[in-house]
Amino acid sequence: MMRKHVALFTSGLIAVSACGQSEQLPLAAQEADTFFHGDVYTGNAASPTAHVIAVKDGYITGVYTEDLALPADDARVIDLGDAVAFPGFTDAHAHLDGIGFRELTLNLEGTSSVSDLKLRVAAEVERTAPGEVVYGRGWIETGWPEGRFPTRYDLDEVAPDNPVILGRADGHAAVVNSAAIALSGITDDTPDPEGGAIERDENGVATGILIDNAENLVSGLLAAPSPERRKEALRKGAEVYANYGWTGIHSMSVNPADTELLIQLEEEGDLPIRVYNSLTPAGLDDLAETGFWEMNDGKLVTRAIKFYVDGALGSRGALLKEPYADQPQTVGLQLITEAEAKPAYRKALANGIQVTTHAIGDQGNTLVLDWYEEVLADHDGAPRWRIEHAQVIDPADIPRFAALGVIASMQPSHAIGDLHFAPARLGDERLRGAYAWRSLTDAGAVIAGGSDAPVERGDPMIEFYAAVGRTDLAGFQGANWHPEEALSREEALAIFTKNPAYAAFMENRLGTIEVGKRADFTVLSADIMTIPEEQIPDVKAVMTIVDGKVVYDRD
């Protein structure tokens, strides 16, 4: 994008056109209280770039492709310099509390091996009183030189006396030590709970890996965080996300009690970004009774309920139609039955509540599509129900998303992390429907892009890079990873801006830089639409603007 230069006058409302002629400043610009000047991508196909945005009271009042001579006496003028503005990036699937707690507890992100994990746990044990529980989250064994999950015995070496519970990054598995197993009453004879699995060795002895609902067996060892602690985690999560450049988040599996804490944060001025809540099923009855709600013109919204049909691919909890290629004794886990799901779906539909369902495996996705189709059979229009993740899809099901009006809520970084183990889990044939962004897009589906943080880092530039490159951060892709499923940069921009707005019923207020919409902008250090692909992950947020207010400024 070529930069035109702006002239700033201390008095008078004079505009300078590209040819140097002067004319009266447009009325909308005269009334603005803030101007943003620089290179702008609007996300609006009719006028994709601009140079000046006029804002009044948090709304966009003017978008100008030519430079204006802006008043410097009353209105605030923000010159973007070499940075580039985009419509506000929204993470369409993340966990705000988890992002915050990641900063407040033992963070195992980036753990490089079992040995590294043991070192981190040992250091935490040194800071912990004997007998107290050590809790952390964020490890993932992908790429570890040991080529395996950690075990109870690894943890026992460095924590023989403290119970240790370490959640895998995806939240669908944990490794615990022998002290935690003993205190929880888990024995070799403890049966697998419904919707979960206790991993055992060849002798039937628990290894310390607990999958999905089996994690509940040790949850009693952890004291529930106080409301004050949860509020701090929510505040911290929102701060982290504003610093990354996100202007909004669709927060998933939200504890219904946390909505009151979010209201408090918004009222206190401590919620810098927009939050769209999808509650746990425990919140369905109350939300059906009160109806969905929002405050401050969509700054905080609660309108959705999230369900789970299966687990995660990495821990082999995703529900497949055929057995796992690398563990043929299992097809994964089904976490909800048709008899449980459909009445809840119908109740949500009757009360205008959006349904979102986690489905990762091909059988999980087929089940959810089947249930949606049956429940919506007599409903006029598409209520914008969503499938969260939609990672592995039977190719025959791909056209059903658009046909049913189901939004595919997908996280591109999963593809560039999972490429190191998904071929082993699935085999080559099932990769044809895995992370199938191009196929879904070409079939007419709406993809809402997210990160699933704290499962992933939550950096919008990693997500954008993954969507357009489909390679890991080192440039590796591997055989049969279907590079043709990558998106163009324009499509990638849409899945993080325009499409999340649609998925939250806010396309008339958010998603593009157009007159009448809220002034939410993500300002980046480089032009991600033109720079070499490998440079995208290094781009940083320079400013984050929500409702016309700068909520993060790198400088």
Side-chain angles (χ1 to χ4, degrees):
M1 188 187 298
M2 295 299 294
R3 171 70 55 79
K4 298 183 179 71
H5 294 285
V6 69
L8 300 182
F9 293 90
T10 59
S11 64
L13 297 173
I14 303 297
V16 180
S17 67
C19 60
Q21 297 175 333
S22 299
E23 57 187 37
Q24 183 67 25
L25 194 69
L27 179 61
Q30 293 182 37
E31 297 178 344
D33 55 43
T34 307
F35 293 92
F36 295 88
H37 166 258
D39 288 341
V40 177
Y41 284 93
T42 68
N44 176 12
S47 184
T49 61
H51 290 283
V52 178
I53 310 167
V55 173
K56 182 176 176 60
D57 296 331
Y59 287 89
I60 299 169
T61 59
V63 181
Y64 304 100
T65 57
E66 304 294 343
D67 281 335
L68 305 177
L70 305 176
D73 46 0
D74 297 322
R76 183 184 187 193
V77 178
I78 297 177
D79 192 335
L80 303 180
D82 293 328
V84 184
F86 295 85
F89 275 52
T90 295
D91 189 330
H93 183 113
H95 305 269
L96 187 60
D97 59 343
I99 296 163
F101 277 122
R102 178 173 63 186
E103 305 298 318
L104 302 178
T105 57
L106 175 60
N107 184 356
L108 298 173
E109 262 192 308
T111 302
S112 60
S113 64
V114 171
S115 296
D116 185 22
L117 182 72
K118 289 159 63 176
L119 287 173
R120 296 185 186 213
V121 172
E124 188 68 12
V125 169
E126 287 292 320
R127 298 187 288 265
T128 306
E132 288 190 4
V133 176
V134 172
Y135 173 77
R137 176 175 170 173
W139 64 270
I140 188 165
E141 77 291 346
T142 303
W144 285 4
E146 295 88 354
R148 62 173 176 84
F149 283 135
T151 69
R152 63 192 290 183
Y153 309 111
D154 296 316
L155 303 183
D156 290 347
E157 292 178 22
V158 293
D161 302 316
N162 294 80
V164 178
I165 303 172
L166 307 178
R168 193 173 186 266
D170 60 12
H172 288 272
V175 61
V176 301
N177 69 347
S178 295
I181 288 173
L183 284 173
S184 301
I186 299 172
T187 71
D188 297 344
D189 298 323
T190 301
D192 288 345
E194 183 176 355
I198 303 169
E199 188 176 273
R200 307 169 199 270
D201 64 20
E202 62 276 8
N203 298 315
V205 176
T207 65
I209 292 290
L210 306 175
I211 299 172
D212 285 306
N213 287 347
E215 292 182 79
N216 296 333
L217 297 174
V218 296
S219 61
L221 300 182
L222 297 171
S226 67
E228 292 76 18
R229 179 76 166 170
R230 294 197 63 81
K231 184 176 179 180
E232 174 59 17
L234 294 167
R235 187 203 64 77
K236 186 64 177 179
E239 175 190 292
V240 167
Y241 254 39
N243 293 355
Y244 270 133
W246 298 108
T247 61
I249 182 175
H250 296 183
S251 192
M252 294 288 146
S253 301
V254 174
N255 181 337
D258 283 355
T259 59
E260 178 59 36
L261 302 178
L262 288 163
I263 290 171
Q264 293 174 18
L265 288 171
E266 173 62 8
E267 290 175 340
E268 294 162 4
D270 280 335
L271 192 65
I273 63 172
R274 297 184 189 278
V275 179
Y276 181 87
N277 290 316
S278 183
L279 305 180
T280 65
L284 176 57
D285 289 343
D286 285 346
L287 193 58
E289 182 176 344
T290 63
F292 62 83
W293 57 268
E294 66 173 60
M295 67 182 294
N296 292 346
D297 197 15
K299 183 73 180 301
L300 177 61
V301 181
T302 297
R303 186 170 181 162
I305 300 288
K306 185 189 174 193
F307 301 86
Y308 286 82
V309 76
D310 63 359
L313 186 65
S315 52
R316 300 184 186 86
L319 187 63
L320 302 180
K321 295 187 172 185
E322 300 295 334
Y324 277 79
D326 60 351
Q327 201 169 102
Q329 66 270 33
T330 184
V331 294
L333 300 169
Q334 183 172 337
L335 304 183
I336 191 172
T337 66
E338 180 177 2
E340 294 167 332
K342 288 167 64 175
Y345 290 173
R346 289 193 176 99
K347 185 167 191 174
L349 182 65
N351 290 279
I353 298 168
Q354 186 183 43
V355 170
T356 74
T357 307
H358 164 120
I360 289 182
D362 54 4
Q363 178 65 2
N365 278 278
T366 295
L367 287 177
V368 176
L369 289 168
D370 288 347
W371 298 343
Y372 281 5
E373 184 171 14
E374 292 167 22
V375 172
L376 299 175
D378 299 323
H379 180 76
D380 292 332
R384 306 191 192 183
W385 286 7
R386 303 161 48 149
I387 290 183
E388 304 301 317
H389 308 305
Q391 280 179 221
V392 184
I393 306 172
D394 184 330
D397 281 335
I398 288 176
R400 299 179 68 193
F401 281 79
L404 295 172
V406 173
I407 295 164
S409 175
M410 307 179 76
Q411 302 75 48
S413 59
H414 285 336
I416 67 171
D418 294 3
L419 67 84
H420 294 282
F421 65 79
R425 299 283 190 276
L426 299 172
D428 286 346
E429 182 61 25
R430 283 182 290 204
L431 293 179
R432 292 192 304 116
Y435 318 90
W437 314 317
R438 164 60 51 211
S439 295
L440 284 161
T441 298
D442 289 350
V446 173
I447 297 177
S451 74
D452 203 13
V455 175
E456 303 287 353
R457 172 93 291 261
D459 184 336
M461 292 301 95
I462 292 177
E463 299 301 330
F464 189 92
Y465 166 82
V468 301
R470 209 174 166 86
T471 62
D472 71 11
L473 295 177
F476 174 78
Q477 186 174 76
N480 205 25
W481 199 242
H482 295 279
E484 72 278 6
E485 290 291 347
L487 297 175
S488 71
R489 298 197 193 195
E490 290 74 19
E491 290 166 332
L493 181 62
I495 72 170
F496 296 111
T497 55
K498 183 165 61 176
N499 293 4
Y502 174 83
F505 306 89
M506 287 185 159
E507 68 272 21
N508 293 325
R509 291 187 269 182
L510 302 170
T512 57
I513 298 176
E514 296 182 76
V515 172
K517 292 190 174 182
R518 302 300 298 187
D520 288 10
F521 316 130
T522 297
V523 182
L524 300 175
S525 60
D527 186 346
I528 58 173
M529 307 302 283
T530 60
I531 62 174
E533 188 176 282
E534 64 273 12
Q535 295 179 13
I536 293 173
D538 296 325
V539 174
K540 304 299 180 185
V542 173
M543 285 185 198
T544 307
I545 295 110
V546 177
D547 284 339
K549 300 174 183 176
V550 178
V551 298
Y552 168 73
D553 186 341
R554 185 181 65 178
D555 299 326

